[in-house]
Amino acid sequence: MVNGDKEVQGLQLPYKYENSLLLYISSHNCEISLLLFVAIWETQNTQAKVQINLRCSFIGSFLMEKYELIKEKNKRGFFEGRSLITSKIVTLKQLVVHPVEGVPASLIKEISLLHELENPNVIRLLEVVNSKHQTTMVLVYERMEMDLKGFMCIYPTVMTSPWTRKVLLRQILNAVSFFHSYNLIHGKIKPENIFVDPDTKVLKVTDFIWPRSILNQDSGDPHEDSTYNYMAPEILIEQKQYTTALDVWSVGCVFAEMVTKTPLFPAKTEFHQLLKIFSIMGTPHEETWPGIDEMHPHSYIYSRSEPKDLRELVPGLEPAGIDLLNIEVSLYDDHETYFAKVFSLALMPNVNNMGIFL
Amino acid sequence: KGSSNIHEKLMITDIDSDQKDPKLCSLYASEIYSNLRAAELMRRPRSDFMETVQRDVTQSMRGVLVDWLVEVCEEYKMVPDTLYLTVYLIDLFLSQQYIEQQKLQLLGITCMLIASKYEEICSPSVEEFCFITDSTYTKSEVLKMESLVLNYLNFQLSAPTAKTFLRRFLRAAQASSQIPSLELEFL
């Protein structure tokens, strides 16, 4: 079954994975053991059809001494597991070390940043487990319950409360201004990267592949991401220098989505994304965005449109929220747009006194 | 407001007063640098590792290694931050772990490999790093060393170097941005 020639030593069926079975096959002569997701489709007849899903995941058997797996979390290689020592629920992410190039650059960055960043609203990396021959690594994070996207789907009524939205927004801003004070731009703030605990409403920001230094911007390329919906226009028009305004923009997009449940600027490609943004915020020209002609000489290709009223696009948001959103997603504004800190301090000082953690 | 009064009384220019240029990030600047200073104090290589930890390697060998790494950095057109981080990683490793003379160059290129993965958009491949040592070390030796170094340092690479602070000092000295690299040459 495994490579044909390797002897399969043990076959256990310890984990049930929703409607499929998780086979855990360990083999002594290979360091990694193999988890197969065997989806079983019940047919009308008695015979069950077994189809082996080729999306197999390798999970190191070295991990089995410390953690037990509960289930696969999503298709991005995340697993939910339980520590055998503390019996706490954790999130596991497995990465294979490249046989030629060694530890991936993104991993080096992520781990070293997570060691440094300690904040209640930033995901914590508990440990890095190495396999004996350094072929695979597993990152152990604290539990990520549910991402904001899922949270909005599963608890639509909770999200209608302005209080919940304020509590969540405040925490996102807290995390973002924390990054900025560490000389980092997160760059990928989006609902999929924000995790929420449904009971306590504690929010954690994740994903540290992109971040770069604010003051020294020689590194990184932001275009590797496929979700453009939360991307600030200055990335889309390929500005070379980024500012902290980039994150504030993304926070604004997430904020609007918390109210309406759909992205504020939905689009599939980079080009359409800019079109969408300009159709709502107005096509920029030298008066509304000084320097735009130089940055984006082809801006004449976009049809001229006037800014729309966000009150109509984001119904149900109170006037103060509209004002805030307007500043967050403004194409060009005074310096205050750049600072998540300003928002997180000025915004909703009463939220702090409502028995919440910050 | 309080701070600007102090600045006026002491006739010191507040270098964070320019809030119009977002790249200078003036609102965060003092916070960023106090965080950097704290990080610097926490993870500083020992100053006496040559005498206490190392027996085989000497100061002059480290000097030769660093000189060579400067050349490698220029050869592959890497950013100066990579070089500074490389030297920091070497010192940090040497303050924790005894290393043989023959392995010093291996440590050097491995630290440069790690630093370039951290800092560069497109880091040179492992093969290129082996090539530049005149194939003294094999790719698998470098990879083994890489995981060794990463584990010893516990993946804590984001440390401020002299270069990090130089930017701020230059600004404090009101250096013109037209001739920024002259000072950097001396470091």
Side-chain angles (χ1 to χ4, degrees), chain A residues 97-109 111-113 115-116 128 130 134 137 176-178 180-184 213-221 241-244 334-335 338-342, chain B residues 19-28 31-33 35-36 39 43 79-81 113-114 116-121 123-127 139 143 146-148 150-151 154-160 163-164 167:
Chain A
V97 176
H98 195 281
V100 181
E101 292 303 327
V103 184
S106 57
L107 190 64
I108 290 185
K109 240 180 176 163
I111 299 176
S112 68
L113 285 178
H115 272 307
E116 198 181 357
V128 181
N130 260 312
Q134 316 284 350
M137 294 169 95
V176 170
S177 75
F178 174 75
H180 295 170
S181 73
Y182 269 87
N183 188 19
L184 293 166
S213 154
I214 299 169
L215 302 168
N216 163 39
Q217 306 205 337
D218 298 324
S219 59
D221 176 23
Q241 288 284 325
Y242 302 117
T243 67
T244 50
D334 288 343
H335 54 274
Y338 297 105
F339 306 117
K341 189 183 177 180
V342 172
Chain B
Q19 302 211 333
K20 284 278 178 265
D21 186 351
K23 272 163 241 152
L24 298 172
C25 207
S26 35
L27 188 68
Y28 288 112
E31 221 173 316
I32 288 175
Y33 281 98
N35 281 334
L36 284 171
R43 293 195 291 274
V79 293
D81 296 76
L113 171 71
I114 296 170
S116 71
K117 279 181 181 177
Y118 187 84
E119 295 280 358
E120 303 284 330
I121 299 171
S123 64
S125 66
V126 176
E127 192 166 5
K139 277 190 270 183
L143 289 183
E146 182 191 35
S147 65
L148 189 74
L150 284 175
N151 285 328
N154 200 17
F155 280 89
Q156 298 192 346
L157 312 178
S158 44
K163 177 95 189 329
T164 322
R167 270 188 210 101

Side-chain angles (χ1 to χ4, degrees), chain B residues 49-50 57-71 83 87 90-91 94 104-105 108:
Chain B
F49 62 81
M50 279 298 177
V57 187
T58 62
Q59 289 285 7
S60 64
M61 285 179 201
R62 180 187 170 279
V64 172
L65 177 72
V66 173
D67 282 345
W68 176 71
L69 287 173
V70 173
E71 279 172 42
L83 179 66
V87 177
I90 293 171
D91 288 346
L94 288 179
L104 187 64
Q105 196 187 9

Side-chain angles (χ1 to χ4, degrees), chain A residues 134-250:
Chain A
Q134 316 284 350
T135 49
T136 45
M137 294 169 95
V138 175
L139 308 190
V140 183
Y141 301 94
E142 63 183 334
R143 186 180 195 182
M144 303 181 201
E145 187 94 22
M146 164 181 305
D147 68 17
L148 190 58
K149 201 135 204 155
F151 184 75
M152 290 191 287
C153 285
I154 296 167
Y155 301 96
T157 48
V158 178
M159 288 304 289
T160 54
S161 136
W163 185 80
T164 312
R165 294 198 298 249
K166 281 183 189 176
V167 165
L168 294 179
L169 179 62
R170 163 106 197 192
Q171 292 181 82
I172 301 174
L173 285 168
N174 178 40
V176 170
S177 75
F178 174 75
F179 293 134
H180 295 170
S181 73
Y182 269 87
N183 188 19
L184 293 166
I185 301 174
H186 184 282
K188 279 171 88 177
I189 299 283
K190 53 180 180 177
E192 289 89 342
N193 286 338
I194 297 170
F195 284 80
V196 184
D197 185 321
D199 302 323
T200 60
K201 310 280 183 301
V202 175
L203 176 148
K204 311 257 175 191
V205 175
T206 64
D207 198 337
F208 298 88
I209 311 284
W210 197 79
R212 75 230 28 242
S213 154
I214 299 169
L215 302 168
N216 163 39
Q217 306 205 337
D218 298 324
S219 59
D221 176 23
H223 287 267
E224 29 197 64
D225 201 312
S226 54
T227 319
Y228 300 109
N229 293 354
Y230 310 93
M231 220 174 241
E234 56 262 40
I235 306 184
L236 296 163
I237 62 174
E238 309 205 9
Q239 261 264 64
K240 285 284 172 282
Q241 288 284 325
Y242 302 117
T243 67
T244 50
L246 205 121
D247 285 336
V248 177
W249 174 280
S250 308

